[in-house]
């Protein structure tokens, strides 16, 4: 059974006992509405630590006023059952006041890697992510944290913040968990109608085609344009971005072929955000 704690003091009591016994502690931050993708993160954490804490907190600081904070799916009891099913040791489920005491006035900004893509579409987002993740790292005093590559830009922001602030925690990126048809598992998939869910497979298909074209020496701008057209043809509405970026700092690549460095090909990543009905889907894939 996964034990639930709601205060930092309670979580730290467990962590102190584990570390006194010489055990390594892993952290898996989530916003709940857990699915198989989250459980793969727990399993990876278990491979890299003796004890695993999953955090469940819908962070208001990463939502803009017009976004779906109140509508974001929640189900703590179901989340706890899923964590118990994979043997997660502890679930940290604080309320808003525990995370952000009255008068809370601190924010963390990670420049550069946070600015394009999601940072341009949702300017408040990564500041909220960086602030809450830094708090969770400090609160838990974990040795390792696991994040999914599904939110690839978020992973790069967290890595940069951790390096810049000398936070003593190892960051592990987990490959994106996908359904059999290739769609990335996401809490937001629950918003899709049956018809939209069937159309959504066009997203990973378009990414895969574009990534292969670029890896074969094709022009980046042409691959991006072809992928955008494929999404539109499949029924997607607004396409926020389809871009090939450098894999680590997310600097812009193209418009021509991906290019070389003295040590070999530039490592690229194709990142996509597009709307299917009222649901905004994001995904990414290595260009290899």
């Amino acid at each position: 059974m996964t034990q639930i704690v709601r205060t930092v003091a309670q979580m730290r009591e467990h962590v102190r006992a584990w570390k006194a016994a010489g055990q390594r502690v892993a952290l898996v931050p989530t916003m709940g509405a857990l699915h198989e993708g989250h459980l793969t993160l727990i399993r990876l954490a278990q491979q890299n630590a003796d004890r695993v804490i999953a955090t469940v907190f819908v962070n208001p600081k990463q939502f803009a006023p017009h976004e779906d904070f109140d509508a974001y799916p929640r189900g703590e009891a179901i989340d706890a059952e899923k964590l118990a099913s994979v043997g997660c040791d502890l679930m940290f489920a604080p309320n808003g006041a525990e995370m952000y005491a009255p008068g809370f006035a601190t924010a963390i900004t990670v420049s550069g890697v946070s600015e394009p893509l999601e940072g341009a579409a949702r300017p408040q987002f990564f500041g909220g992510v960086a602030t809450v993740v830094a708090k969770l790292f400090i609160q838990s005093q974990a040795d390792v944290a696991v994040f999914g590559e599904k939110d690839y830009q978020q992973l790069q922001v967290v890595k940069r913040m951790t390096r810049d602030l000398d936070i003593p925690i190892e960051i592990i990126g987990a490959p994106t968990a996908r359904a059999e048809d290739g769609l990335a598992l996401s809490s937001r998939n629950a918003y899709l109608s049956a018809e939209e869910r069937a159309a959504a497979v066009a997203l990973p298909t378009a990414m895969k085609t574009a990534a292969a074209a670029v890896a074969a020496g094709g022009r980046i701008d042409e691959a991006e344009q072809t992928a955008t057209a494929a999404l539109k043809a499949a029924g997607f509405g607004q396409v926020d971005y389809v871009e090939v970026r450098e894999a680590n700092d997310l600097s812009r690549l193209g418009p021509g072929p991906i290019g070389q460095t003295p040590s070999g090909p530039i490592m690229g990543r194709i990142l996509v955000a597009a709307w299917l009905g009222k649901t905004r889907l994001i995904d990414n894939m290595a260009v290899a």
Side-chain angles (χ1 to χ4, degrees):
M1 180 177 178
T2 299
Q3 187 168 351
I4 301 173
V5 296
R6 303 192 183 280
T7 69
V8 174
Q10 290 170 331
M11 177 168 57
R12 284 181 172 170
E13 184 177 350
H14 286 272
V15 172
R16 278 195 299 271
W18 294 337
K19 291 196 170 186
Q23 295 178 322
R24 183 170 161 88
V25 179
L27 183 75
V28 181
T30 85
M31 292 210 302
L34 302 184
H35 50 67
E36 180 59 29
H38 294 105
L39 301 186
T40 65
L41 304 184
I42 300 295
R43 296 186 187 102
L44 182 57
Q46 290 169 330
Q47 294 171 20
N48 288 273
D50 304 293
R51 299 284 187 172
V52 178
I53 303 168
T55 71
V56 174
F57 177 66
V58 182
N59 179 29
K61 291 193 176 295
Q62 63 197 63
F63 289 80
H66 67 281
E67 292 181 328
D68 57 354
F69 174 74
D70 290 331
Y72 194 86
R74 293 164 172 84
E76 184 182 289
I78 296 174
D79 288 343
E81 289 176 4
K82 290 180 178 179
L83 292 174
S85 75
V86 292
C88 183
D89 297 283
L90 198 67
M91 173 175 164
F92 177 48
N95 61 24
E98 181 70 12
M99 290 301 291
Y100 301 114
F104 187 89
T106 300
I108 295 177
T109 299
V110 182
S111 300
V113 70
S114 71
E115 293 169 1
L117 305 168
E118 289 300 288
R122 306 174 66 195
Q124 81 297 331
F125 180 69
F126 287 121
V129 169
T131 300
V132 78
V133 169
K135 284 178 64 68
L136 290 170
F137 286 175
I138 294 166
Q139 291 168 344
S140 68
Q141 302 171 348
D143 301 290
V144 59
V146 179
F147 293 82
E149 289 186 352
K150 160 69 166 53
D151 296 300
Y152 188 80
Q153 188 175 10
Q154 173 177 279
L155 173 62
Q156 301 311 113
V157 168
V158 169
K159 285 182 175 180
R160 170 54 62 188
M161 177 194 72
T162 303
R163 288 195 298 267
D164 288 354
L165 298 182
D166 299 313
I167 301 176
I169 189 168
E170 177 187 358
I171 307 300
I172 296 176
T176 301
R178 298 184 179 276
E180 290 186 5
D181 63 2
L183 184 67
L185 300 185
S186 170
S187 302
R188 294 180 188 271
N189 292 350
Y191 297 157
L192 298 171
S193 68
E195 183 178 279
E196 289 168 344
R197 175 61 184 84
V201 70
L203 181 56
T205 300
M207 279 197 313
K208 187 175 181 179
T209 300
V214 172
R219 288 181 61 88
I220 285 173
D221 56 356
E222 292 177 357
E224 292 170 343
Q225 292 162 12
T226 299
T228 300
L231 293 175
K232 294 280 191 178
F236 280 78
Q238 178 178 325
V239 178
D240 287 347
Y241 56 81
V242 175
E243 295 185 11
V244 177
R245 297 262 173 171
E246 198 280 329
N248 294 311
D249 64 14
L250 297 184
S251 57
R252 194 76 168 93
L253 298 177
I258 196 166
Q260 298 271 335
T261 69
S263 58
I266 293 172
M267 297 300 295
R269 199 92 185 178
I270 184 168
L271 301 102
V272 180
W275 292 82
L276 192 55
K278 296 181 178 180
T279 305
R280 185 175 186 270
L281 300 179
I282 67 170
D283 204 348
N284 68 89
M285 190 173 290
V287 176

